[in-house]
Amino acid sequence: MASTSSTIIEQEYQPLLLGLHSHSRIPDLSSEVVEDFLAHKPVAARWWPRLVAWESRLLWILSGASVVVSIFNYMLSFVTLAFTGHLGALDLAGASIASVGIQGLAYGIMLGMASAVQTVCGQAYGAKQYASMGIILQRAIILHLCAAILLTFIYLYSGAILRSMGQSESISERGQIFARGIIPQLYAFAISCPMQRFLQAQNIVNPLAYMSVGVFVFHTLLTWLVVYVFDCGLIGAALTLSFSWWFLAVLNAVYIVLSPRCKETWTGFSVRAFSGIWPYFKLTLASAVMLCLEVWYNQGLVLISGLLANPTVSLDSISICMNYLNWDMQFMLGLAAAASVRVSNELGAGHPMVARFSVMVVNGTSIVISIVFSVVVLVFRVLLSKAFTSDSDVIQSVSDLTPLLAISVFLNGIQPILSGVAIGSGWQALVAYVNLASYYIIGLPIGCVLGFKTSLGAAGIWWGMIIGVLIQTVILIILTARTNWNAEVQKAVDRLKKSASEETTLILVDAI
């Protein structure tokens, strides 16, 4: 009897998925159709490959371009440091430590704050509340600029900050020159980062990728001219980085204002952006804390490694491994951004089953990719270090750390994706507590004990990082597995209703 009922249900809903008989018809499916199909269980096994293909197509349309954006934005600073290295070891040391200790601080805050745009704009786009998205973007830019003003003082007095961190007078002085030269970049980042999340929430990713690649090529040529041809030194390299970021910010803004694809989501500047800013600020603050705790954790381990018994080898080996981990992180951040957009769009559209299915597909995809990356790291363990140094001690140290790097790469394929799902669902405050406990209460102390109180040295510090990330990943897996997606849809609806109510009130006040 149950089998007969299941057959009837399957026959009843089979016409909805006629496109699944052919991969060529997969793009024609809609979330509404898939949501309806998934809601009527059980789903026959033969449908799952087609459903995975449908979700994977949407995921890679978003993540392919998002990965390009993440990598090439990261490459702007990478190219600047590469050219700075030709100015001399002291200039490179100063610029590098300023990038980790000063610029990295701002990067974590700005990127974390911008994740709130992904949450609210993504859900608003899924709910087709397009007009509210422009207001949300303006609120985000206002808060980002306020944060930039506060962070400016850290840039201005970076020399004293670096000295307090144990850096030498000469390195701190060069670091301060570089930090002050990238103050304009701080404000460009404050404007560009929310705009990029605003466009990603609307699935507008290819134009962002074209802009990021174009600015990267322009930046490389300009930096070569400034450093080699015009011989402008460290301050010239820093100002060039700032100029390129402003170029990118202007391109993002021009696209939003002029593109027909944004005509419904961007309706011009409005004083309403200053209202209802407190609830949005709380989400923004939680987002910033959540991501900052992750970014600073890795950077803190690099700085701590400089305090070990053999600081040169330890710092060099951990820095080389961390560099490869950062490259992997940029790839996974692009995938995480796509996951965030998919989940927030589907929650806003009222599709809990599709949101849950999207989480399953993106996690499966990231696990496969991270396994491949981990194998590559293990196979080329010696070549990884030789690409950076010819010092035999450093090469051996990197080779010893490579198995731990492979473990980190694997975990890196899961943890950022789960964080992306958390951003899309609006769980930033909860994940901030998870990060604080797993990283700073558990992982960091363990790393310090293993690094300084045992013979493990740099490996001990890295083990602390792995333990912290592992604990965080396990907690996020449990939270995701226990999630009531119907309840998450209702939370998204309530959040959007509250925002819409505030805007309606303001319109009436303006009319009076």
Side-chain angles (χ1 to χ4, degrees), residues 287-303:
S287 302
V289 172
M290 168 190 156
L291 202 61
C292 283
L293 290 174
E294 294 184 17
V295 174
W296 296 345
Y297 183 54
N298 292 341
Q299 293 172 339
L301 291 173
V302 174
L303 296 174

Side-chain angles (χ1 to χ4, degrees), residues 93-206:
S96 298
I97 201 67
S99 293
V100 173
I102 306 300
Q103 188 184 25
L105 171 72
Y107 178 82
I109 292 175
M110 293 292 183
L111 205 60
M113 291 175 66
S115 70
V117 181
Q118 284 179 282
T119 301
V120 186
C121 278
Q123 293 178 359
Y125 186 76
K128 299 182 179 179
Q129 294 186 12
Y130 302 132
S132 64
M133 293 179 65
I135 304 299
I136 295 167
L137 172 61
Q138 291 172 63
R139 285 175 186 160
I141 291 176
I142 291 168
L143 291 176
H144 275 71
L145 289 174
C146 290
I149 292 172
L150 295 176
L151 289 169
T152 299
F153 293 98
I154 296 177
Y155 279 63
L156 288 173
Y157 299 103
S158 55
I161 294 173
L162 292 175
R163 282 191 292 272
S164 68
M165 293 166 59
Q167 301 302 318
S168 67
E169 181 68 31
S170 56
I171 290 179
S172 298
E173 179 187 350
R174 306 308 290 174
Q176 179 171 279
I177 291 173
F178 185 82
R180 290 181 175 179
I182 59 174
I183 288 177
Q185 182 236 9
L186 175 64
Y187 289 87
F189 196 70
I191 297 172
S192 177
C193 200
M195 289 192 293
Q196 290 186 0
R197 299 301 180 273
F198 170 78
L199 291 170
Q200 286 175 335
Q202 304 171 64
N203 302 329
I204 300 174
V205 286
N206 286 337

Side-chain angles (χ1 to χ4, degrees), residues 53-94:
W54 172 78
E55 177 60 37
S56 296
R57 174 183 175 273
L58 294 177
L59 178 66
W60 281 108
I61 286 175
L62 283 170
S63 62
S66 296
V67 167
V68 171
V69 172
S70 181
I71 288 177
F72 279 90
N73 285 353
Y74 170 75
M75 283 289 288
L76 294 180
S77 293
F78 184 84
V79 166
T80 298
L81 290 178
F83 278 102
T84 300
H86 294 282
L87 296 174
L90 186 59
D91 284 329
L92 177 60

Side-chain angles (χ1 to χ4, degrees), residues 323-343:
N323 188 68
Y324 285 111
L325 190 62
N326 284 338
W327 280 100
D328 176 66
M329 177 67 78
Q330 298 310 312
F331 186 94
M332 289 303 174
L333 282 177
L335 197 59
S340 174
V341 172
R342 285 291 300 131
V343 171

